[in-house]
Amino acid sequence: MPASSIQVQILPETSTIHLYRDNMTDEYESYDLRGQVRLIPIVYKHAKESLAVHHIHLRIQGFAQTMLTSDFSDSDDEGQRDTWCKDSTSLTLLDRFLYSARGYANVTECVLDQEMTMTLNMTELATATDVPFRFSLENTRQLPPSVRLPRHLIAYHISAYVHTREEDVCHHCKSYLKKKRRLLKRRKETSIVAKVPITVACHDLRLSYNEPRIRYCGARPNCLRYQVHVAKFFPYEDTSLQFHCTFVPSSPTVQVRKVAYYLVQCETYPAKPGRMKSDQNALDPLQTQTRNRKLGYKEVDVSTIENFDHIPFTLDFDQPQFSQPIHITSLQIQHKLRILIYFAGKEKKMALSFPVIFCTTAPVTTAQPFFLSHMSSSLSLSSINNNSKLPTYLDVMKEGAPPSPFGDEVFIQ
């Protein structure tokens, strides 16, 4: 007769952790993940021993991984996910061997590893029981968002180890990766394991502040003066961006023939596989490699345009390699808008680059931090009708893009 057992289910209140950030966010901000661990007894008719639960050990982990291989292709699309980066921490020994045999190797960084123990002293588990938990995650400002890219993977999961005996201490849970082989047999006998994925979404609140567009100004001597108006923050979900250009030729002989533009995604990561710690110092540039991905290339013929004042341009991109900005020890991802200006005749092209930041939009249904609601209530003061007073600064800002004195100016030669 088979032995009685316990089925374990982890039921978090939410499968997505929403984190909010801006320049005022506390560096040591925490997040309470709540939920329940459901224990379902499976007892056979003539079983002699009753099921008991002494304690439950919860552990939440997050790993950032980058796949290193010489034959990796940037043309991988959604239909080729079997060649994307895999979570090597959850692969079996055979799968890990096959992964290496194909020429793949991962750089792995543990970005989150926290645990807690709930003591129940339950002598008999007769019916399905829900055990509530409250998991306090510390220093969430340092957590990167969950991403799934052809070369990069950042994934989180929460695990529950249900122990039936008091003597089954949890020191093996704390060193799971180091002692996995030696304690595998014991774990099967003394604990029941369940694991579910958790998504971490990081929202930059500066996207909601309606900051003015930045005006970049520069010139090529005896050729052209330019102004590029572009926002500092763009919604990540839109997979497009808009900007305006103004060109002022220094003489009638200078003619702008074509404007090409695209998004550059700069990815910097270690050149050698292995494990890294999140608290270690930044890597030496000689130990890293940088990959620049070109996203959404577009060309526009402007030879027939007579007035080059505030010309609008739109760039669309929808490649699977497009990512949010990432800033951790093992991976740095940032973006630049690249603009190429071609001239008629022998004049060499101009190449310009401007930094842009993509942010995810915070969901409306999720509670916002106090300082955001406080700021909104302050901004609402500008809506008071009072014709006896001059317009306030906030009133002027509502009328549209600010003139030059209100915008940040960055001069690029």
Side-chain angles (χ1 to χ4, degrees):
M1 178 184 298
S4 301
S5 60
I6 302 174
Q7 181 182 354
V8 183
Q9 297 177 356
I10 305 176
L11 306 174
E13 289 185 353
T14 176
S15 60
T16 302
I17 298 175
H18 294 279
L19 304 177
Y20 302 91
R21 298 167 180 171
D22 69 351
N23 295 331
M24 298 181 293
T25 307
D26 187 2
E27 182 178 357
Y28 303 102
E29 190 178 43
S30 61
Y31 181 94
D32 285 341
L33 178 63
R34 302 170 186 266
Q36 297 175 335
V37 177
R38 178 166 294 172
L39 307 176
I40 304 176
I42 302 177
V43 182
Y44 293 93
K45 185 175 182 180
H46 298 290
K48 297 181 180 179
E49 296 182 359
S50 60
L51 293 174
V53 177
H54 182 264
H55 62 273
I56 300 176
H57 189 83
L58 292 177
R59 187 179 192 184
I60 184 168
Q61 293 177 293
F63 293 95
Q65 302 183 71
T66 295
M67 182 172 66
L68 305 181
T69 176
S70 57
D71 60 350
F72 190 87
S73 174
D74 280 346
S75 62
D76 286 347
D77 56 18
E78 295 287 342
Q80 299 175 317
R81 283 181 173 264
D82 56 331
T83 62
W84 286 22
C85 179
K86 291 181 172 56
D87 184 4
S88 61
T89 63
S90 62
L91 294 177
T92 63
L93 184 61
L94 177 59
D95 290 337
R96 194 172 302 176
F97 174 78
L98 295 176
Y99 193 67
S100 301
R102 298 189 185 102
Y104 302 150
N106 281 10
V107 177
T108 303
E109 176 185 352
C110 182
V111 296
L112 175 63
D113 191 358
Q114 296 184 23
E115 51 197 346
M116 63 175 291
T117 300
M118 301 183 298
T119 302
L120 304 180
N121 289 325
M122 190 180 298
T123 58
E124 183 177 0
L125 180 64
T127 61
T129 303
D130 291 339
V131 181
F133 67 84
R134 177 182 175 183
F135 210 128
S136 181
L137 305 180
E138 305 295 336
N139 302 333
T140 56
R141 184 177 174 84
Q142 310 300 326
L143 296 181
S146 300
V147 297
R148 180 78 167 91
L149 304 172
R151 181 180 288 269
H152 310 289
L153 173 67
I154 301 180
Y156 299 84
H157 64 264
I158 181 170
S159 305
Y161 305 92
V162 179
H163 296 267
T164 59
R165 302 182 306 187
E166 181 178 2
E167 57 267 25
D168 297 336
V169 295
C170 294
H171 66 274
H172 62 286
C173 297
K174 297 181 180 180
S175 55
Y176 172 75
L177 296 177
K178 295 181 180 179
K179 303 180 181 179
K180 182 177 180 180
R181 289 185 181 179
R182 182 169 62 87
L183 297 168
L184 182 60
K185 183 177 180 181
R186 179 188 174 188
R187 172 165 299 179
K188 288 183 177 179
E189 295 176 351
T190 63
S191 65
I192 302 96
V193 183
K195 182 169 71 172
V196 296
I198 295 291
T199 301
V200 173
C202 302
H203 309 293
D204 196 320
L205 294 175
R206 292 174 293 181
L207 182 64
S208 306
Y209 292 169
N210 297 322
E211 293 192 1
R213 300 170 70 89
I214 301 177
R215 184 168 66 105
Y216 297 90
C217 305
R220 174 181 288 183
N222 302 321
C223 179
L224 181 77
R225 288 189 295 112
Y226 68 84
Q227 294 182 8
V228 177
H229 302 256
V230 61
K232 187 175 182 180
F233 303 98
F234 288 94
Y236 173 74
E237 298 84 357
D238 289 354
T239 63
S240 67
L241 60 85
Q242 297 79 35
F243 61 96
H244 295 78
C245 294
T246 297
F247 302 130
V248 182
S250 59
S251 67
T253 59
V254 178
Q255 297 181 358
V256 180
R257 178 176 57 89
K258 180 178 66 174
V259 176
Y261 49 94
Y262 54 91
L263 185 69
V264 178
Q265 181 170 284
C266 304
E267 306 172 6
T268 303
Y269 46 86
K272 295 182 179 180
R275 292 189 175 275
M276 300 184 61
K277 296 181 179 179
S278 297
D279 55 354
Q280 73 180 62
N281 296 330
L283 294 177
D284 188 285
L286 298 178
Q287 300 176 341
T288 63
Q289 58 181 347
T290 300
R291 192 183 194 92
N292 295 323
R293 300 183 186 272
K294 183 188 296 186
L295 305 176
Y297 182 85
K298 187 176 182 179
E299 295 182 357
V300 177
D301 184 1
V302 296
S303 58
T304 59
I305 299 179
E306 297 181 358
N307 185 7
F308 288 100
D309 185 20
H310 218 63
I311 307 173
F313 295 95
T314 300
L315 178 63
D316 297 318
F317 43 89
D318 192 20
Q319 288 90 336
Q321 297 91 349
F322 178 51
S323 170
Q324 296 177 244
I326 304 293
H327 300 284
I328 56 177
T329 305
S330 63
L331 179 61
Q332 300 283 329
I333 297 181
Q334 53 190 355
H335 300 88
K336 296 185 295 182
L337 174 62
R338 186 80 164 170
I339 302 177
L340 306 177
I341 305 174
Y342 295 86
F343 300 91
K346 297 182 179 180
E347 186 71 33
K348 294 183 179 180
K349 69 178 180 181
M350 292 181 65
L352 311 175
S353 295
F354 310 98
V356 292
I357 300 176
F358 291 91
C359 312
T360 57
T361 305
V364 179
T365 56
T366 306
Q368 303 291 334
F370 169 76
F371 59 84
L372 180 61
S373 59
H374 179 70
M375 176 173 292
S376 300
S377 62
S378 300
L379 291 177
S380 63
L381 295 176
S382 63
S383 61
I384 300 177
N385 293 324
N386 194 339
N387 297 328
S388 62
K389 296 182 179 180
L390 292 175
T392 65
Y393 174 78
L394 293 176
D395 292 329
V396 176
M397 293 294 288
K398 281 188 172 182
E399 296 178 2
S404 175
F406 291 99
D408 299 328
E409 291 190 355
V410 179
F411 295 89
I412 301 178
Q413 303 296 333

